[in-house]
Amino acid sequence: MNSLLLAAIGVSMMIAGYLLYSRFLSRRVFRLSSSFRTPAHELSDGVDYVPTNKFVLWGHHFTSVAGAAPIVGPAVAVIWGWAPAFLWVTLGTVFFAGMHDLGALWASVRNRGQSIGALSARYIGVRGSRLFLVVIFLLLLMVNAAFAVVISGLLVSTPSAVIPTWGALVVAVLIGQAIYRLRWNLATVSVVGVAALYGLILLGDRFPLALPETVLGMSAGAFWIVVLFLYAGIASMLPVWVLLQPRDYINGLQLFIGLGLLYGSVLIASPTIVAPALNRALPEGTPGLMPLLFVTIACGAISGFHGVVSSGTSSKQLDAETDARFVGYFGAVGEGLLALGAIIATTAGFRTLADWEQVYSAFGQGGVVAFVSGGGAILNAGLGLPASLSATVLATMAVLFAATTMDTGVRLQRFVVQEIGEIAGLRLTPVIATAIVLVVCVGLAFGAGADGSGGMVIWPLFGTTNQILAALTLSILAVMLTRKRRPVLPVLLPLLFVLVVSLYALIIQMGTFFAERNWLLLVLDVIILIAALWVVLESAVALSRARSAAPEVEEDDESAPVGGRSVGDGPA
């Protein structure tokens, strides 16, 4: 199979999904209105609620939801063959992820920017919402702790990525000032920012920075983990326009350039896919494709984490409700393109089938390392980029996206801690809530591993927890649409599919953890399963009530003008 044909089919499907299906969802299902007054204007505070240009907001949303997951998941899942991974990524992006992300963004905007956890209290019930918060907290804990390990590992294994990784923070702060303070034209800012970022990549490739084996009594990896959490804690409390927005925007541009280089190399070199379409010679111990494919590839097909981002940060920055189509659905398309690129890099970036089988000799192998090495080989063959520079480009891309997801994740987990505090009758300040988040994450990272790798201990539950959360988010959308007498099948069918495969995977994992006597994961698995089933039952009851109740009165969408400031106005 030629990789060029696979890329052409996949890209065409995703573009068609945005042009056609997202238009149907926007007009017929969610009925987006340009005159609806968004929370960014209604509650504007210059910190979390900031009306933002849709292209800048897309950059924040896209890079926050992308991270390393759309690389890691597909790069592991191709062990079953490229065909199942390709079908789930393309069809999942068009009919599942785009609808889910757009819907979660719309639902939050229509409810004053409330998070998915808060929305569950209104549409499902108070009991269900508290269990919902448990699932969200555990998911964010997994993301923050595990991504710190992934990033530190890349900074150690690819020292040429150190300068561009940290230099990008300086570029982001300057971009934020240029947009909001100096009122530069966005196109000019984009060109200057991208040029600066790629200048840092060339500088990092020329001057790699490798830490000594021990730093302040810690291993190099453990030191980077501590630094990453300190950075994420500070970044999560800054106004979004200072660092979060500009960092994510420039990273979004950088990713699309990186993807352009990768797909351009595929177009020029047309490498052959050496991996089998359906792998019948699976390594011993590899679990069955069904249902684990659908939880191994979460980001890149559908991901509950996206709903947390959509309702946690993106909804508070949406300038006009109609921008939700571009930010939400096209953000999912961008992640789908990254996942498709990961599939191509890890199946066509090897010279022979034997080379590929050597890397994929056991389940769980591959991941970011296979993406960087395979993608680097394709860049070298197509564009003639030196191997070291190719590795630096791809490693920097992976690090920057994992880092943006991590600092957004810490901000979101702080929101969750504050919501839990309110339920307990405590009013936690952002500083106290952030401190709690950092203590829990760092405690997990170092409590279960002296080198800071303890964050990977609960990572095996990420896929199933993530998909369970996606199903629960879809259940909220189903109740909302039913109340409004809107078309509900575009939500209900994906909800049922994701719910079935996720619960099935949880049960399978429960048996595995019991056989391995892994009591920690077994207990967490049971907690997540009970919470999910409880929320599902509450959702079913809420859906039944919505069907029998009188239709919800539609908002007068055209009555309120979109006032307030836009991206160029910035904070006073």
Side-chain angles (χ1 to χ4, degrees), residues 227-237 403 406-407 410-411 434 438:
V227 172
L228 284 164
F229 275 119
L230 288 175
Y231 152 73
I234 296 171
S236 70
M237 291 185 289
M406 183 180 168
D407 55 33
V410 170
R411 181 182 290 262
T434 301
L438 295 181

Side-chain angles (χ1 to χ4, degrees), residues 282-313:
L282 292 171
E284 184 178 354
T286 302
L289 181 152
M290 182 66 184
L292 291 184
L293 169 72
F294 303 101
V295 297
T296 301
I297 300 179
C299 298
I302 183 172
S303 166
F305 179 69
H306 294 200
V308 180
V309 174
S310 293
S311 64
T313 58

Side-chain angles (χ1 to χ4, degrees), residues 62-78:
F62 168 46
T63 54
S64 294
V65 300
I71 296 174
V72 175
V76 170
V78 293

Side-chain angles (χ1 to χ4, degrees), residues 368-383:
V368 175
V369 175
F371 170 75
V372 171
S373 61
I378 293 176
L379 289 177
N380 178 261
L383 301 178

Side-chain angles (χ1 to χ4, degrees), residues 56-74 93 97-98 100-102 104-105 116 139-140 143-144 147 244 247-249 251-252 255-256 297-315 317 326-339 397-398 400-410 412 459 462 466-467 469:
V56 176
L57 182 55
W58 172 85
H60 155 70
H61 179 81
F62 168 46
T63 54
S64 294
V65 300
I71 296 174
V72 175
T93 295
H100 170 275
D101 294 12
L102 169 58
L105 189 53
I116 285 295
L139 179 68
L140 291 172
V143 169
N144 294 333
F147 274 28
L244 190 68
R247 170 188 168 90
D248 292 354
Y249 173 65
N251 282 347
L255 173 65
F256 257 69
I297 300 179
C299 298
I302 183 172
S303 166
F305 179 69
H306 294 200
V308 180
V309 174
S310 293
S311 64
T313 58
S314 300
S315 65
Q317 303 169 59
F326 182 78
V327 174
Y329 195 100
F330 194 65
V333 168
E335 188 176 63
L337 291 173
L338 178 56
M397 186 168 69
L400 289 179
F401 282 93
T404 54
T405 298
M406 183 180 168
D407 55 33
T408 300
V410 170
L412 293 171
W459 183 252
F462 169 76
N466 196 31
Q467 301 304 65
L469 184 56

Side-chain angles (χ1 to χ4, degrees), residues 380-437:
N380 178 261
L383 301 178
L385 292 182
S388 62
L389 181 58
S390 299
T392 300
V393 169
L394 295 175
T396 300
M397 186 168 69
V399 168
L400 289 179
F401 282 93
T404 54
T405 298
M406 183 180 168
D407 55 33
T408 300
V410 170
R411 181 182 290 262
L412 293 171
Q413 197 169 13
R414 183 245 295 175
F415 292 157
V416 172
V417 168
Q418 288 178 298
E419 288 184 22
I420 293 174
E422 289 178 2
I423 293 173
L426 300 174
R427 191 171 184 83
L428 302 176
T429 65
V431 174
I432 294 176
T434 301
I436 292 173
V437 170

Side-chain angles (χ1 to χ4, degrees), residues 70 80 87 151 191 193 223 228 240 242 254 279 320 373 419 498 502:
W80 288 299
L87 290 174
I151 297 168
V191 172
F223 174 78
L228 284 164
V240 291
V242 172
Q254 182 262 149
N279 191 6
S373 61
E419 288 184 22
V498 174
S502 301

Side-chain angles (χ1 to χ4, degrees), residues 2 77 88 91 96 124 134 142 273 304 377 382 437 483 505 518 537 553:
N2 190 291
W88 178 226
L91 295 177
F96 290 68
I124 295 178
V134 171
M142 295 175 197
I273 295 177
V437 170
R483 283 187 177 188
N518 191 330
L537 291 175
V553 177

